[in-house]
Amino acid sequence: MSVVSLKKIGENKFECPVCNSALEYNSGGAVRIVNGQVDYENTKPRYICYSCNKFYRELLDSGFYDVFDLEEELRKPKTKRVVKKTGDLAPMILKKDADGTCECPRCGERMNYIEADAVRIVNGVPDFSNTVAHFACDSCNSVYRRIASTEYFQWNEK
């Protein structure tokens, strides 16, 4: 992913193509000296995603953006997310986005929708864990399974 098109979410606001959070506009700064050489890269405007630690710079007013890793000194320290206790989670309606993800009710990270699959044999033992469609969060290791034939999902052990 070296050149991307950014999705507009408002007037002069764009959405990160990786994590869907709002990008912060930075108009650029002064020329700086890096390793004894003049660095003009800092003067160009860019859109920054502090969640992914990436920034996007437009290519010659084309509407397409180059993707770069954010410099270490500009990265914001990651805040520790509060993970809710499983007992505090009531049954809820979960809907997947177009990319097959939704927000985890427990930790707030993006979780994937896992389609139903056939029974698999793992080490000679049948594995029924993915025979029913469900949501799974890799961040807090939560799984949400549908309650009977309703629209509601409930936290479940893996």
Side-chain angles (χ1 to χ4, degrees):
M1 188 166 88
S2 60
V3 177
V4 297
S5 175
L6 297 179
K7 180 180 174 186
K8 205 169 198 172
I9 57 172
E11 192 168 321
N12 297 327
K13 293 227 179 236
F14 291 98
E15 184 177 87
C16 177
V18 177
C19 69
N20 299 327
S21 61
L23 297 175
E24 186 176 307
Y25 178 74
N26 181 306
S27 61
V31 176
R32 60 185 182 170
I33 306 297
V34 177
N35 295 330
Q37 296 192 346
V38 178
D39 178 25
Y40 292 103
E41 291 298 313
N42 193 46
T43 63
K44 300 175 185 174
R46 57 188 168 174
Y47 291 93
I48 301 172
C49 179
Y50 290 107
S51 299
C52 300
N53 290 318
K54 302 265 185 215
F55 71 89
Y56 303 87
R57 184 173 296 134
E58 189 170 17
L59 296 169
L60 302 172
D61 295 327
S62 66
F64 292 98
Y65 295 79
D66 253 338
V67 182
F68 300 94
D69 288 326
L70 193 60
E71 297 89 5
E72 198 65 41
E73 65 268 8
L74 294 177
R75 293 181 181 191
K76 291 185 178 175
K78 293 204 179 223
T79 56
K80 192 170 187 175
R81 290 194 179 246
V82 175
V83 177
K84 294 179 184 174
K85 296 176 185 173
T86 57
D88 294 341
L89 298 173
M92 67 216 74
I93 295 175
L94 297 174
K95 297 200 183 274
K96 63 180 178 175
D97 293 341
D99 62 348
T101 65
C102 78
E103 183 177 314
C104 177
R106 188 168 179 219
C107 70
E109 294 290 331
R110 301 302 290 175
M111 62 180 177
N112 296 317
Y113 182 73
I114 312 296
E115 296 285 346
D117 201 6
V119 175
R120 297 184 184 272
I121 305 297
V122 178
N123 295 331
V125 178
D127 178 16
F128 294 94
S129 63
N130 290 335
T131 57
V132 178
H134 59 280
F135 287 94
C137 179
D138 293 331
S139 179
C140 66
N141 295 321
S142 292
V143 174
Y144 298 88
R145 299 196 187 278
R146 187 178 303 275
I147 300 173
S149 59
T150 67
E151 295 180 334
Y152 289 88
F153 285 80
Q154 185 172 6
W155 181 87
N156 196 299
E157 290 186 52
K158 279 195 171 185

